[in-house]
Amino acid sequence: MKRSVSILGSTGSIGTQALEVCEVHGIEVKALAAKRNEELLEKQVRKFKPKLVCLYDENAYRGMKIRLADLSVQLVTGMEGLCEAATLPEADMILNSVVGMIGLQPTLAAIHAGKDIALANKETLVTGGELVMKAAAEKGVKIYPVDSEHSAIFQCLQGYSGCRVNKILLTASGGPFFGKTRSELEGVTVAQTLKHPNWSMGAKITVDSATLMNKGFECIEAVWLFGVRPEQVEVVVHRESVIHSMVEFEDYAVLGQMGVPDMKIPIQYALTYPERLPCPTERLNLFDYGTLSFARPDPETFCCLKAALDAIGRGGLYPTLVNGANEELVRLFLEEKIPFLKIGDTVCKALELDGSGEVTVESILDAEQRARRFVRESCL
Ligand code: MN3
């Protein structure tokens, strides 16, 4: 089966691994989009020969024009360009792996263009879950989760469409600070935070893993993707990251999906669904692990998790407030302007902002800006 894909966020961790999968299985790449990594993007363009390339950042775009002057590829920029890449008629599906709020609009554009979506951009569902799932249902568009946990749940649900799910057991590695108390977290540095035990990922998501904000967002995503209530999602700390998540059905049978912690497996499943093909990764050897462990998370110390669960319970624009505040706080933390614990404390306070009202693209963008402003006013 010949497939073609447009990749948004092609120079990031997910994007580069997706291109590896495309190369192995001969999936054609029709569009590539990146924020500002001109050098890597140029290499990708020369190798995969897409029809359209988007460099989101306008300054980088100007430099890219010179780099690609000898090619006939179409070069675009900004949100308009990103949406053009998301809707390119030549591609069967898109992989949206951009980081942050800028991922929402291209997802919606792709849905309206009738494209199936391999979704790795968390903000799409965290902030716009209501809009996105409704639009996808109306258009008959399929959303394939790329995140390892949601891919695992999706895989466990194959063949069980008529069966009732009791709960989803969403596994969490616990990040580098699992088991630490609040006072032990007081002086942690950016370097310590960026040292994730199992997964190699971008800086933003690695910080989110350390605060458990990432797990909180994944709970919100699970609610939207699988149509469950927030209280049906249970976070299980599983340090080894071998079981990528589980589903408990009505008969109390629990199905889980296992594998080495390598994103290429879920990326490939999203791109080649429903086929299972050899993946360019290692095989799971359970004897290397010996034992697997499970523990409860500590939402009092890691209050980002509590804030996310609170936000999805309230619904509306509350998840957007949490997300917007967190994005700004992580930026400040990475610039070493605020301490680690300030992230969780301020995310919780952002829930005091007004998150009621109708969820539209405009109200989402407005709530995000309000949350960011709140953070700057309370931290700087
Ligand atoms: Mn994950």
Side-chain angles (χ1 to χ4, degrees):
M1 185 175 172
K2 200 87 189 143
R3 289 169 198 256
S4 58
V5 65
S6 292
I7 299 181
L8 279 53
S10 67
T11 56
S13 163
I14 300 286
T16 49
Q17 295 181 80
L19 284 170
E20 229 180 289
V21 168
C22 289
E23 197 183 356
V24 168
H25 297 298
I27 298 169
E28 281 183 58
V29 178
K30 296 296 184 184
L32 288 172
K35 198 168 187 181
R36 62 171 75 88
N37 190 343
E38 300 158 57
E39 203 176 314
L40 180 54
L41 186 61
E42 183 190 351
K43 278 189 194 142
Q44 295 178 340
V45 171
R46 292 192 184 277
K47 183 164 181 185
F48 291 93
K49 302 183 174 50
K51 183 168 183 276
L52 183 109
V53 177
C54 172
L55 204 59
Y56 185 79
D57 181 277
E58 268 187 51
N59 288 322
Y61 162 76
R62 279 189 280 275
M64 198 67 179
K65 262 190 159 167
I66 300 163
R67 282 173 181 266
L68 298 182
D70 63 312
L71 300 178
S72 63
V73 63
Q74 194 187 341
L75 185 61
V76 293
T77 186
M79 184 52 76
E80 212 178 303
L82 202 54
C83 288
E84 221 177 306
T87 56
L88 192 73
E90 285 84 351
D92 302 328
M93 68 186 302
I94 74 155
L95 166 66
N96 185 353
S97 59
V98 305
V99 177
M101 275 295 293
I102 61 168
L104 175 61
Q105 287 164 82
T107 300
L108 286 167
I111 293 172
H112 291 302
K115 304 265 178 224
D116 288 341
I117 299 169
L119 188 61
N121 172 255
K122 305 217 164 194
E123 289 73 8
T124 288
L125 288 176
V126 169
T127 68
E130 196 179 321
L131 288 179
V132 168
M133 295 314 287
K134 202 169 140 227
E138 278 167 12
K139 278 280 178 180
V141 159
K142 293 190 188 70
I143 295 182
Y144 301 114
V146 168
D147 205 349
S148 60
E149 295 80 1
H150 305 91
S151 174
I153 298 160
F154 179 69
Q155 292 179 56
C156 293
L157 290 171
Q158 293 308 305
Y160 294 103
S161 57
C163 302
R164 233 184 67 186
V165 166
N166 277 344
K167 65 176 178 182
I168 283 170
L169 297 143
L170 197 90
T171 53
S173 73
F177 304 139
F178 173 69
K180 296 248 186 291
T181 62
R182 215 186 134 82
S183 61
E184 286 172 316
L185 291 176
E186 238 143 52
V188 300
T189 62
V190 170
Q192 288 170 315
T193 307
L194 291 181
K195 230 178 248 150
H196 195 277
N198 304 340
W199 297 96
S200 136
M201 308 172 287
K204 161 73 168 56
I205 185 170
T206 306
V207 175
D208 286 346
S209 296
T211 61
L212 291 199
M213 186 81 259
N214 180 55
K215 213 42 62 178
F217 288 154
E218 290 180 355
C219 291
I220 298 176
E221 290 178 277
V223 165
W224 290 117
L225 276 170
F226 306 111
V228 295
R229 296 185 309 279
E231 59 274 20
Q232 285 176 284
V233 184
E234 184 172 33
V235 174
V236 179
V237 176
H238 167 49
R239 296 294 280 161
E240 297 82 10
S241 298
V242 165
I243 303 179
H244 298 302
S245 277
M246 294 164 269
V247 175
E248 184 195 272
F249 290 91
E250 197 164 20
D251 59 357
Y252 304 138
V254 177
L255 297 194
Q257 182 258 326
M258 301 163 86
V260 290
D262 184 330
M263 286 305 294
K264 283 194 284 288
I265 298 174
I267 291 168
Q268 178 174 296
Y269 193 64
L271 293 179
T272 64
Y273 175 87
E275 287 177 77
R276 289 196 181 270
L277 305 170
C279 187
T281 184
E282 282 167 46
R283 293 164 75 170
L284 175 64
N285 181 355
L286 283 173
F287 303 110
D288 287 347
Y289 292 89
T291 52
L292 298 178
S293 65
F294 306 96
R296 283 181 204 282
D298 171 8
E300 297 307 319
T301 304
F302 297 89
C303 49
C304 284
L305 177 60
K306 203 169 70 175
L309 297 174
D310 188 355
I312 187 65
R314 295 196 212 184
L317 296 163
Y318 287 101
T320 300
L321 291 172
V322 166
N323 176 70
N326 181 65
E327 234 176 89
E328 193 70 16
L329 286 157
V330 171
R331 188 178 64 80
L332 294 174
F333 173 69
L334 287 171
E335 290 171 6
E336 299 185 324
K337 287 181 177 146
I338 57 165
F340 181 79
L341 286 174
K342 187 91 181 170
I343 301 173
D345 293 347
T346 315
V347 160
C348 289
K349 283 192 198 129
L351 280 169
E352 288 161 26
L353 299 170
D354 183 15
S356 61
E358 203 193 334
V359 177
T360 63
V361 172
E362 294 70 33
S363 71
I364 289 170
L365 296 175
D366 170 71
E368 193 226 357
Q369 287 309 315
R370 282 190 288 124
R372 285 177 179 272
R373 221 177 304 132
F374 169 78
V375 166
R376 288 192 294 267
E377 279 160 13
S378 38
C379 291
L380 300 174

